[in-house]
Amino acid sequence: MDERSLEKLELNKILASVAEYTTLEKGKSLILACKPSTDLSEVRRRLDIAEECDKLLYTYGVGKVEAFPDVSEVLARAEKGSTLSCKELLDCAALLRSARVAYNCIEKLEDELPLTKSLTRNVYFDRGLEDDIYEKIISVDALSDRASDRLYSIRVKIKSLNARIREKLAEYASGKYSEFLQDGIVTIRNDRYVVPVKAEHKTHVKGFIHDRSKTGATFFIEPEYILELNNELIALTIDEREEIEAILKALSTRVGAMAGQLNTDIEILAELDSRFAKAEYCYNKKCTKPKVNNRGYIDIVKGRHPLIDKDKVVPVSIELGADYNFLLLSGANTGGKTVTLKTCGLFCLMAACGLYIPAAEGSSVGVFENVFCDIGDSQSIEESLSTFSSHITNIINICEDAGGNSLVLIDELGGGTNPDEGQAIAKAVVKHLLDCGAKGVVTTHYTPLKEFAYTVGGIENASMEFDSDTLKPLYSIKIGLPGASNALAISRRLGMSVEILEQAEGYLSEGARSFENVVRRAEESRIEAERKLAEISSMQLEWHEKLDKVNAQIAELNREREKINRSARTESRRIIAERTEQAEEMLAAIEEIFKKEELNEADLIAARTLKNKLKDKAFDEEEDKKQITDYIPATAQNIKAGITVFVKPMDCRGQVASFNAAKGEAEVLCGSLKMHLKLKDLLIIGEEKAKPKNVKVVKKLPKSMPVLEINVLGMTVEEALYEVDNFIDRAVTDNLEEIKVIHGVGTGKLRSAISQHLKRHKNVESFRLGKYGEGETGVTFIKLK
């Protein structure tokens, strides 16, 4: 990769931002040293690694690598046999802990995570050594009393001996020698306990003089009668130091024995740390995983340059490498051309480094062998190069090195010199890059170069949108049309005087003025067309929503119709069952009469009476049918609010709420349903015939007790629901308040279907499962309205 181009595209700034998310210095170094890969399979591997790490951090909640100091040099000394200090051993324990936590957190997951687990399964850790270090070393300069049995014994003796010495000295200071002491404070000199004696009384205190105060007024004397105690204390202190040295030596030896594995851990954990840092950066920047290819195809959807403030950045979309290899980007200054150019190149480099890109899902970038970039002013005083010379030098290098798998990004190609010569050079350079098969984006203000893009294959004009009313850029790319520079309009917005602008317009060539006007008018027409298209799309959406509502109403009408039909079928079944029961009772009575061996006149009269009643029932049914079908066609003259009508489309009765004579429509209420119907769909129900005045009312007791429960075990859902419906209808007819359905426990499918059906049943007030002793979940109790 061309290093200058990487710097121009600011990849180093991106990597520096990523490195801030690391916890290890070595991990940070790996990020900063990362180079874009030119191999498609390696780029895909890197992006797959980022996907796994994103899953680890934000799906499984795995923590980042635990921090530990760089112990490479410490391990090298331990391997050679050196004894490590308490702090160095604690640092090694931190490494062991970090390795153990990383291994356990990742390896215990059931997810395969092949790329991450292939790294962590090589992690080495020793929980025993880790625990020993943390248990025996309590700070960077102290060991625990329990580090060893011998150390504990020595420290107990030291503590006891210190207490004895202090006790003896306290007696000395409070006895007959107290008048010889400067004060009653016991102190230590040369690791031995001493008492401060006044200079004039030093001959009165027998012992060894260890020190004298600066003023000479006090001598620090070790009394002879504690000399042996001090000697014993010194001996114990030496024993303690030797034991500490032995403990540290033993721990250091164990660390040195595994120095090689621990150095490998450092490398693995640094790599894991760098991977997690990339994933965390991408998550915080709201990046997505791009598709990658080696065909040079780029399709960035709503890309946001990661170095621009998230509150100020405007997403841009750009595509090249499919129908055309080069994009000639033109338009107003400050319109976002250079940012778009940088975004295109930077996203390809980020993906090549294994980073997601801040763009919408479905974005694609190419994997290139080289990315060349010429952006900005590279004037060099040391090399005596002007802006144009530096620009051309860079272009020469690009033309020499660019190939079929190169991405070329050039800002203001041919700028900085005579426009005629500049546009000629620009055409030749673009033609050369097209011929060598490179892909790229070129920005320009040259009108001839815009015209050139229409005549040569493989390159397409594009423009950065500019609002001609507000004179502000819209930061949106439109493919197929060049953009006007709008230099005069921008100058006017920035406050240039009208006189200067008018004079500048007069200096424009006729061709340039004509071309800019054509481009401007075309752009305005396109923007207006897109506005109209947006309005049409909005209207289409609105009509689709209205159509959905109408379809929903039709569906509701169909459901209501089915509900009414279902109710009518239920009522019919009830009437038929009632009439059949009555007929069976009469037939049974006639049969009882004829079972007698001898019939008398009374029996014959009774049988004839029952036969006549049976005929009367049949006649009543015919009369009922006649009354039901006794309808009058609805007309504007006989229809009025409040009358009952028969609705032919719904096959049910309804009540007229109002009638609109102008439209010939009546508003009819069918239950909770309100409908607007034509007169041809309505029949006015005629008056029912008067019933006979002499009606004999006979109260009959049922032949048997009403049935209070039904068993639907073994039935299919459809069969069971049918039987439950019939059972409820009979229960309503028999004026029952509560009934029971036995459906069993089983898989619960039958119970659930019955429960859902009862929720919608018009005759059911409530229902519940059985309690303990009632059958529990195997039965359902239903309370009827």
Side-chain angles (χ1 to χ4, degrees):
M1 287 281 182
D2 183 61
E3 291 296 330
R4 288 184 302 172
S5 295
L6 299 185
E7 185 177 349
K8 284 287 185 182
L9 293 172
E10 301 176 296
L11 178 64
N12 57 334
K13 293 183 180 179
I14 300 298
L15 294 178
S17 297
V18 176
E20 292 178 2
Y21 291 93
T22 59
T23 56
L24 306 177
E25 284 299 320
K26 204 169 186 65
K28 181 178 292 187
S29 300
L30 288 177
I31 293 289
L32 296 176
C34 181
K35 297 296 181 185
S37 174
T38 59
D39 181 71
L40 178 61
S41 60
E42 172 60 18
V43 172
R44 284 177 174 163
R45 190 186 76 86
R46 291 182 178 186
L47 291 172
D48 288 342
I49 287 172
E51 185 176 27
E52 288 187 3
C53 290
D54 179 82
K55 190 184 294 185
L56 283 167
L57 290 175
Y58 303 108
T59 300
Y60 297 118
V62 172
K64 295 173 65 177
V65 175
E66 290 193 9
F68 59 88
D70 186 0
V71 292
S72 302
E73 293 183 5
V74 173
L75 293 175
R77 289 195 291 107
E79 193 172 18
K80 293 176 182 179
S82 298
T83 300
L84 305 180
S85 67
C86 292
K87 180 183 182 306
E88 291 169 338
L89 285 168
L90 287 173
D91 290 345
C92 292
L95 167 59
L96 287 166
R97 173 181 168 79
S98 181
R100 175 177 58 82
V101 170
Y103 178 88
N104 289 336
C105 287
I106 295 172
E107 289 297 323
K108 72 179 180 181
L109 298 175
E110 295 182 0
D111 199 321
E112 291 185 0
L113 303 168
L115 297 172
T116 305
K117 287 189 176 180
S118 64
L119 179 69
T120 55
R121 69 170 53 103
N122 296 317
V123 168
Y124 176 84
F125 59 92
D126 186 335
R127 183 63 183 267
L129 177 57
E130 177 193 337
D131 290 343
D132 280 349
I133 293 175
Y134 280 128
E135 288 172 4
K136 294 180 179 182
I137 303 175
I138 59 176
S139 70
V140 295
D141 56 3
L143 264 66
S144 168
D145 292 346
R146 299 288 182 177
S148 73
D149 292 339
R150 184 167 182 267
L151 181 62
Y152 179 75
S153 175
I154 292 171
R155 287 186 171 176
V156 168
K157 292 178 181 178
I158 290 174
K159 184 178 180 181
S160 175
L161 192 56
N162 274 318
R164 285 171 58 196
I165 292 173
R166 288 182 175 277
E167 185 180 346
K168 287 283 185 182
L169 290 176
E171 293 175 2
Y172 189 91
S174 61
K176 62 179 181 178
Y177 293 103
S178 60
E179 58 181 301
F180 304 140
L181 303 183
Q182 191 72 25
D183 51 50
I185 298 174
V186 176
T187 186
I188 294 176
R189 288 292 187 274
N190 300 324
D191 296 328
R192 301 177 77 88
Y193 283 98
V194 295
V195 291
V197 180
K198 297 175 182 178
E200 62 271 22
H201 298 298
K202 67 179 184 296
T203 57
H204 295 89
V205 178
K206 293 182 179 182
F208 183 79
I209 297 175
H210 283 273
D211 198 2
R212 184 179 65 179
S213 66
K214 292 181 179 180
T215 61
T218 305
F219 282 81
F220 296 96
I221 301 174
E222 178 184 4
E224 61 180 11
Y225 72 90
I226 65 164
L227 184 63
E228 288 303 321
L229 292 177
N230 268 332
N231 288 340
E232 187 179 349
L233 182 61
I234 294 296
L236 287 172
T237 303
I238 293 171
D239 290 342
E240 179 190 28
R241 187 163 55 247
E242 289 176 349
E243 182 61 18
I244 290 173
E245 184 70 19
I247 294 170
L248 295 179
K249 179 65 176 177
L251 293 174
S252 301
T253 301
R254 292 170 67 184
V255 170
M258 61 180 70
Q261 293 98 321
L262 293 181
N263 276 316
T264 302
D265 281 357
I266 293 173
E267 299 300 325
I268 292 173
L269 293 174
E271 174 63 24
L272 191 61
D273 183 41
S274 68
R275 293 181 180 186
F276 281 155
K278 289 180 180 180
E280 189 174 2
Y281 171 84
C282 294
Y283 178 83
N284 289 334
K285 289 290 184 179
K286 295 181 173 60
C287 299
T288 60
K289 184 181 181 181
K291 302 173 186 176
V292 291
N293 62 85
N294 57 3
R295 297 176 285 106
Y297 177 66
I298 297 174
D299 181 18
I300 297 171
V301 183
K302 295 183 179 178
R304 311 176 307 278
H305 197 289
L307 295 179
I308 300 177
D309 189 289
K310 64 179 182 179
D311 297 325
K312 297 179 181 179
V313 66
V314 180
V316 294
S317 299
I318 185 170
E319 181 182 8
L320 64 92
D323 299 328
Y324 46 86
N325 290 340
F326 262 84
L327 205 59
L328 185 67
L329 195 55
S330 54
N333 289 311
T334 71
K337 297 191 299 298
T338 303
V339 171
T340 302
L341 199 76
K342 285 186 173 184
T343 301
C344 184
L346 181 59
F347 280 13
C348 293
L349 295 176
M350 288 177 67
C353 289
L355 291 167
Y356 286 6
I357 60 174
E361 290 281 356
S363 296
S364 298
V365 293
V367 177
F368 297 94
E369 288 183 3
N370 222 325
V371 176
F372 297 101
C373 177
D374 183 70
I375 299 175
D377 186 359
S378 299
Q379 182 172 350
S380 173
I381 297 175
E382 293 178 358
E383 298 178 12
S384 300
L385 294 176
S386 67
T387 300
F388 177 73
S389 298
S390 176
H391 172 64
I392 289 300
T393 301
N394 202 12
I395 296 298
I396 292 170
N397 294 331
I398 291 174
C399 290
E400 289 177 351
D401 298 334
N405 195 20
S406 298
L407 178 64
V408 179
L409 307 166
I410 304 176
D411 193 25
E412 303 294 346
L413 178 57
T417 188
N418 179 281
D420 289 336
E421 293 180 345
Q423 58 88 14
I425 291 173
K427 288 180 184 178
V429 170
V430 169
K431 186 67 170 63
H432 172 79
L433 294 172
L434 285 170
D435 292 341
C436 72
K439 313 290 191 303
V441 182
V442 173
T443 67
T444 188
H445 287 288
Y446 287 144
T447 298
L449 193 56
K450 301 174 190 177
E451 296 170 344
F452 175 75
Y454 281 121
T455 61
V456 178
I459 185 170
E460 185 68 66
N461 268 306
S463 62
M464 301 298 298
E465 281 197 276
F466 186 81
D467 192 327
S468 57
D469 295 329
T470 62
L471 302 178
K472 291 183 178 180
L474 300 176
Y475 302 104
S476 177
I477 299 175
K478 291 300 175 185
I479 308 295
L481 280 177
S485 296
N486 292 295
L488 296 178
I490 293 173
S491 300
R492 183 178 292 108
R493 180 169 66 88
L494 295 176
M496 184 174 283
S497 68
V498 177
E499 293 80 5
I500 295 175
L501 290 172
E502 289 176 351
Q503 196 168 18
E505 289 176 355
Y507 289 145
L508 282 174
S509 67
E510 187 63 32
R513 187 184 298 113
S514 175
F515 183 83
E516 289 291 319
N517 288 336
V518 168
V519 170
R520 189 177 296 107
R521 284 195 295 272
E523 192 168 353
E524 290 173 355
S525 299
R526 178 183 55 74
I527 293 173
E528 179 62 21
E530 288 186 351
R531 188 183 64 79
K532 294 287 186 184
L533 182 61
E535 289 180 0
I536 292 171
S537 299
S538 176
M539 291 176 63
Q540 273 187 327
L541 181 63
E542 182 180 349
W543 280 108
H544 279 305
E545 290 176 353
K546 289 183 178 179
L547 184 61
D548 290 340
K549 288 181 180 179
V550 170
N551 289 333
Q553 289 177 348
I554 292 173
E556 178 63 27
L557 286 172
N558 290 334
R559 283 194 296 272
E560 190 68 24
R561 177 178 179 176
E562 178 60 28
K563 182 179 178 181
I564 293 171
N565 288 339
R566 189 165 58 248
S567 176
R569 287 195 297 271
T570 302
E571 183 66 16
S572 299
R573 286 197 299 270
R574 187 191 67 78
I575 293 172
I576 291 170
E578 182 181 337
R579 296 291 172 91
T580 302
E581 184 181 354
Q582 291 174 353
E584 287 175 351
E585 287 177 359
M586 293 179 185
L587 288 173
I590 292 172
E591 288 177 359
E592 286 295 324
I593 293 172
F594 284 99
K595 283 181 181 178
K596 295 180 180 180
E597 293 181 1
E598 292 184 3
L599 297 175
N600 54 32
E601 187 68 20
D603 293 332
L604 292 175
I605 293 171
R608 193 178 296 113
T609 303
L610 289 171
K611 179 182 176 183
N612 291 336
K613 283 183 179 181
L614 199 58
K615 287 182 178 179
D616 290 342
K617 286 292 179 184
F619 177 76
D620 289 345
E621 290 179 12
E622 292 297 325
E623 284 297 313
D624 289 344
K625 292 179 182 177
K626 185 177 178 182
Q627 288 180 8
I628 291 172
T629 56
D630 190 12
Y631 296 137
I632 303 170
T635 63
Q637 289 72 32
N638 61 12
I639 195 167
K640 59 183 178 180
I643 66 172
T644 302
V645 293
F646 181 77
V647 182
K648 289 192 283 186
M650 298 295 293
D651 194 23
C652 67
R653 293 188 179 194
Q655 189 173 31
V656 177
S658 63
F659 174 66
N660 188 328
K663 292 184 177 180
E665 288 182 351
E667 186 180 80
V668 181
L669 297 175
C670 292
S672 61
L673 210 61
K674 182 184 290 185
M675 297 176 288
H676 292 272
L677 299 166
K678 297 292 185 182
L679 291 178
K680 62 184 180 62
D681 295 326
L682 301 175
L683 294 172
I684 297 176
I685 299 175
E687 295 182 1
E688 295 183 0
K689 295 180 180 180
K691 293 182 179 179
K693 292 183 179 179
N694 297 326
V695 179
K696 184 179 180 181
V697 179
V698 179
K699 184 177 181 181
K700 296 192 301 177
L701 293 174
K703 284 182 65 178
S704 59
M705 292 297 291
V707 180
L708 298 178
E709 66 182 38
I710 185 173
N711 190 331
V712 295
L713 282 169
M715 297 184 185
T716 64
V717 170
E718 187 176 352
E719 293 170 346
L721 294 181
Y722 178 80
E723 293 298 328
V724 169
D725 269 342
N726 290 336
F727 181 47
I728 292 174
D729 292 338
R730 291 197 301 273
V732 171
T733 304
D734 292 338
N735 294 321
L736 299 180
E737 292 184 0
E738 188 176 82
I739 56 178
K740 180 171 71 174
V741 177
I742 302 171
H743 44 67
V745 179
T747 62
K749 182 178 179 182
L750 191 58
R751 180 183 69 242
S752 177
I754 291 173
S755 174
Q756 293 299 321
H757 184 67
L758 294 176
K759 288 179 181 178
R760 300 187 296 270
H761 203 290
K762 66 175 185 178
N763 291 324
V764 175
E765 181 175 324
S766 63
F767 60 92
R768 64 176 176 83
L769 293 176
K771 300 177 182 177
Y772 179 79
E774 294 180 335
E776 300 180 31
T777 58
V779 300
T780 296
F781 287 85
I782 305 170
K783 186 176 182 181
L784 301 174
K785 292 183 179 177

